[in-house]
């Protein structure tokens, strides 16, 4: 039975009209055009284009080519049905195999593991050469090396007198990063086949006011054959290790995330803002004994055996430091150097953040990792102090009477008011209801409350330690205070030598392997002894000029250097330091230090700023330092902020 017979049985009248009009030589054509013409008014106008197209195909295939259109339609129907059946069968088999013979792990884009995995996938040649990719714009940080060939070969002169570098085309040389697109991908790793399924969903996130919005949430599902997910776990661990390959040579700085992200808690509370190279401890201008004291104390606290030692004695596992001194003396620099020595991340909190509440502060502290450095800069500027309430009843009565007299006088001179008085009064009333920020009690509860975080290192810096409340710096909250002062002549010499010594490239080594020998200091990269033990010692015979004993050995990871590397700062800067021997540089540094007043009127930051303007001319710096110091002393005596000599 063919298609024409079915239609004749269903529509006898139409088929009769069609067959009567058919030519005798069209008997081989089993599906006449008369049927189609009869179906057009029956099915409606919306089917007319489709039926007319079929009629055209019918006439061409049946009349001119001698083919049976019904056979072609039947063939396409069989192919379509087979395709549907194959898809259903394949999905059933795939679901059965994936459920019973495969393991999978899902990662969301809210977790740091998502970043680790995407970074690793972007570095795999097979994934980058896939046919389905997503391109992402990338840019290098300030500390990453870049190709300077295009900059040097195409300099631009602004005024015709000198040659200046132009970076307008530098961003164009930054290649994009390619990652797997949404969908399913396959790749091999260590002889095992993995499947990656990347999908995206739009989720409506409710929030207060205008914070409600649709946001895209991505998932990465890794799967492999086998009932054990161990291969996937090893792959994720490998991706994480690759991500942190150079982490021991960098310090990650994080700050509180925006308010709309902090409400999700956990890792969403913090946002990475910087990833900078480790700062060597020798670049911090501070007394050598104070350096060793802080290093030994922090190393003992961070030792893996310390938590049990604290728990056995019922002591909270917290450590706090207070760095105080004039501005520009190296308080923040020491914090970064300590984080680099011990390989810790820095979490910076500003107590003057207007959106930061006491609940947010507690949540930020509770979401800190096990070991990290929490930095509270300029703690004195936050205004954390107890409100004095020492007034007696007589004082209150006198104050009340004074207010009544003031109101009476205002009523008598009501017609003499001014617009400024009204604005002042409105400002005063509005200030009573505005946000007060973090209170002293809220900060104390976050630092060492009952539910406060343990294991972190807290560093507070201040320029005015006398203005701090006693409860904030009592033992248990601040365990060690380190004082900073303006530069001495010895420190001025140290700054001068460091500025003009030969540039060197650091040796990046695994901090868990072996020892490093540098400048007479033996540095062992191994576990230190817990508190109460004195089996290992620090032996320092370097140029710092001191020898100290402690309970551990210090790993100054950026202190090991190879041969000097010549750095070209461009035309227009004569390199006087490159022609000086170490002995000559030391002699010039002694002469420079003698011209720094011993009364400690100049901060290390001011000396460094002076030398940076002459970073390749040590002889010129020596010749101009006396005039600079004299102008600086006069400026500070007159309390002006304008520099006459720079």
């Amino acid at each position: 039975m063919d298609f024409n017979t079915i239609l004749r049985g269903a529509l006898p009248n139409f088929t009769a009209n069609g067959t009567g009009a058919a030519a005798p030589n069209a008997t081989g054509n089993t599906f006449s055009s008369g049927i189609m013409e009869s179906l057009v008014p029956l099915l409606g106008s919306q089917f007319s284009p489709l039926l007319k197209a079929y009629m055209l195909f019918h006439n061409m295939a049946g009349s001119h080519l001698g083919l049976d259109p019904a056979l072609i339609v039947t063939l396409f129907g069989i192919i379509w049905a087979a395709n549907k059946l194959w898809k259903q069968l394949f999905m059933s088999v795939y679901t059965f195999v994936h459920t019973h013979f495969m393991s999978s792990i899902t990662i969301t884009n809210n977790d740091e593991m998502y970043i680790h995995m995407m970074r690793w996938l972007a570095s795999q040649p097979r994934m980058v050469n896939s046919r389905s990719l997503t391109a992402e714009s990338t840019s290098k940080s300030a500390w990453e090396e870049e190709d300077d060939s295009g900059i040097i070969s195409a300099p631009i002169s602004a005024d015709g007198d000198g040659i200046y570098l132009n970076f307008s085309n530098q961003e164009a040389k930054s290649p994009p990063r390619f990652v797997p697109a949404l969908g399913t991908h396959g790749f091999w790793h260590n002889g095992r086949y993995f499947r990656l399924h990347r999908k995206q969903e739009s989720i409506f996130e409710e929030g207060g006011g205008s914070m409600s919005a649709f946001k895209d949430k991505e998932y990465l599902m890794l799967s492999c054959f086998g009932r054990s997910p161990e291969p996937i776990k090893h792959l994720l661990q490998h991706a994480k290790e690759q991500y942190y390959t150079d982490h021991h040579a960098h310090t990650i700085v994080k700050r509180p995330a925006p308010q709309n992200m902090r409400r999700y808690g956990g890792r969403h509370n913090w946002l990475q803002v910087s990833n900078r190279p480790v700062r060597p401890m020798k670049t911090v201008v501070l007394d050598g004994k104070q350096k060793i004291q802080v290093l030994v104390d922090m190393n003992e606290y961070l030792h893996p055996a310390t938590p049990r030692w604290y728990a056995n004695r019922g002591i909270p596992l917290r450590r706090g430091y207070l760095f105080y001194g004039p501005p520009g003396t190296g308080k923040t620099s020491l914090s970064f150097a300590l984080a680099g020595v011990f390989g810790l991340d820095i979490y910076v909190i500003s107590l003057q953040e207007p959106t930061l509440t006491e609940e947010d502060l507690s949540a930020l502290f509770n979401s800190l990792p096990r070991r990290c450095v929490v930095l509270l800069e300029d703690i004195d500027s936050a205004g954390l102090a107890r409100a004095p309430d020492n007034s007696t009843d007589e004082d209150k009565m006198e104050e009340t009477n004074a207010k009544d007299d003031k109101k009476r006088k205002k009523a008598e001179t009501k017609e003499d008011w001014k617009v400024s008085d009204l604005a002042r009064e409105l400002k005063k009333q509005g200030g009573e209801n505005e946000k007060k920020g973090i209170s002293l009690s809220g900060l104390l509860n976050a630092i060492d409350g009952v539910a406060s975080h343990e294991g972190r290192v807290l560093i507070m810096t201040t320029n005015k330690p006398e203005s701090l409340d006693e409860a904030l710096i009592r033992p248990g909250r601040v365990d060690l205070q380190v004082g900073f002062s303006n530069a001495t002549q010895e420190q001025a010499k140290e700054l001068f030598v460091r500025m003009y010594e030969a540039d060197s490239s650091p040796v990046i080594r695994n901090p868990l392997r072996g020892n490093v020998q540098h400048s007479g200091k033996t540095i062992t990269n191994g576990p230190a002894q817990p508190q109460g033990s004195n089996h290992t010692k620090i032996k320092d015979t370097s140029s710092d000029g001191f020898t100290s004993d402690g309970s551990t050995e210090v790993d100054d990871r950026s202190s090991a250097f190879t041969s000097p590397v010549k750095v070209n700062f461009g035309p227009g800067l004569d390199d006087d330091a490159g022609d000086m021997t170490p002995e000559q540089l030391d002699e010039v540094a002694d002469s420079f230090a003698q011209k720094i007043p011993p009364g400690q009127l100049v901060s290390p930051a001011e000396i460094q700023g002076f030398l940076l303007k002459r970073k390749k001319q040590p002889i010129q710096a020596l010749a101009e330092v006396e005039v600079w110091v004299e102008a600086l002393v006069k400026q500070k005596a007159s309390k002006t902020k304008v520099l006459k000599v720079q």
Side-chain angles (χ1 to χ4, degrees), residues 240-463:
K240 187 174 183 178
E241 291 175 356
Q242 292 295 318
Y243 182 83
Y244 288 105
T245 298
D246 60 344
H247 183 65
H248 66 277
H250 290 79
T251 300
I252 295 179
V253 183
K254 295 185 178 182
R255 288 186 176 273
Q259 187 179 13
N260 60 341
M261 296 180 60
R262 293 200 302 264
R263 58 193 178 100
Y264 298 107
R267 297 183 181 272
H268 301 279
N269 287 332
W270 297 97
L271 184 65
Q272 178 177 332
V273 295
S274 177
N275 186 2
R276 54 185 300 177
V278 169
R279 176 160 187 167
M281 183 61 68
K282 70 173 186 177
T283 62
V284 179
V285 181
L286 184 66
D287 180 68
K289 293 183 179 180
Q290 288 182 301
K291 286 184 184 180
I292 292 296
Q293 183 183 16
V294 177
L295 286 168
V296 171
D297 185 85
M298 187 177 294
N299 196 84
E300 290 179 352
Y301 170 72
L302 295 174
H303 193 274
T306 300
R308 180 178 297 274
W309 190 93
Y310 272 70
N312 293 337
R313 290 155 179 80
I315 304 174
L317 186 61
R318 306 185 189 98
R319 204 68 179 167
Y321 300 89
L322 178 66
F323 296 165
Y324 64 91
T329 53
K331 300 182 290 295
T332 304
S333 300
L334 179 60
S335 304
F336 276 92
L338 290 172
V341 168
F342 296 103
L344 302 178
D345 296 341
I346 296 182
Y347 293 77
V348 184
I349 301 178
S350 175
L351 299 180
Q352 294 180 325
E353 172 65 31
T355 62
L356 189 65
T357 62
E358 295 182 1
E359 292 79 6
D360 293 337
L361 185 63
S362 299
L364 288 173
F365 270 86
N366 291 331
S367 62
L368 292 171
R370 182 178 180 181
R371 293 184 178 92
C372 64
V373 174
V374 182
L375 180 60
L376 301 178
E377 290 188 288
D378 299 327
I379 193 69
D380 56 292
S381 62
L384 301 175
R386 300 178 186 271
D389 190 12
N390 300 325
S391 59
T392 61
D393 295 339
E394 296 181 357
D395 296 335
K396 293 181 179 180
M397 184 63 70
E398 292 179 359
E399 185 178 3
T400 303
N401 295 335
K403 289 183 178 180
D404 294 339
D405 295 340
K406 189 175 182 180
K407 290 181 180 179
R408 192 180 302 109
K409 291 181 179 179
K410 285 186 177 181
E412 294 175 355
T413 59
K414 186 176 180 179
E415 65 280 0
D416 297 334
W417 66 275
K418 298 180 180 179
V419 178
S420 58
D421 298 335
L422 178 60
R424 191 182 304 110
E425 188 67 21
L426 292 175
K427 183 178 179 181
K428 182 179 179 182
Q429 293 179 0
E432 296 175 356
N433 299 325
E434 63 185 7
K435 185 179 179 296
K436 299 295 183 181
I438 304 298
S439 64
L440 178 61
S441 61
L443 177 60
L444 298 181
N445 289 331
I447 291 176
D448 64 349
V450 177
S452 61
H453 183 270
E454 294 187 348
R456 85 290 182 277
V457 176
L458 176 65
I459 298 179
M460 296 184 290
T461 65
T462 178
N463 299 332

Side-chain angles (χ1 to χ4, degrees), residues 566 575-581 584:
K566 186 71 173 178
D575 190 357
D576 297 338
D579 301 332
M580 299 179 63
T581 62
Q584 293 175 337

Side-chain angles (χ1 to χ4, degrees), residues 94 97-99 101-107 117 184-188 192-197 220-226 228-229 231-233 235-236:
Y94 177 80
V97 173
H98 189 273
T99 304
F101 299 100
M102 296 184 70
S103 302
S104 62
I105 295 179
T106 303
I107 309 170
M117 195 63 200
T184 304
H185 308 267
F187 63 94
W188 292 82
R192 183 179 290 271
Y193 180 76
F194 292 89
R195 287 184 68 85
L196 170 69
H197 181 62
L220 291 180
M221 185 166 58
L222 292 168
S223 57
C224 67
F225 287 99
S228 175
I232 307 177
K233 294 180 181 179
L235 174 62
L236 295 177

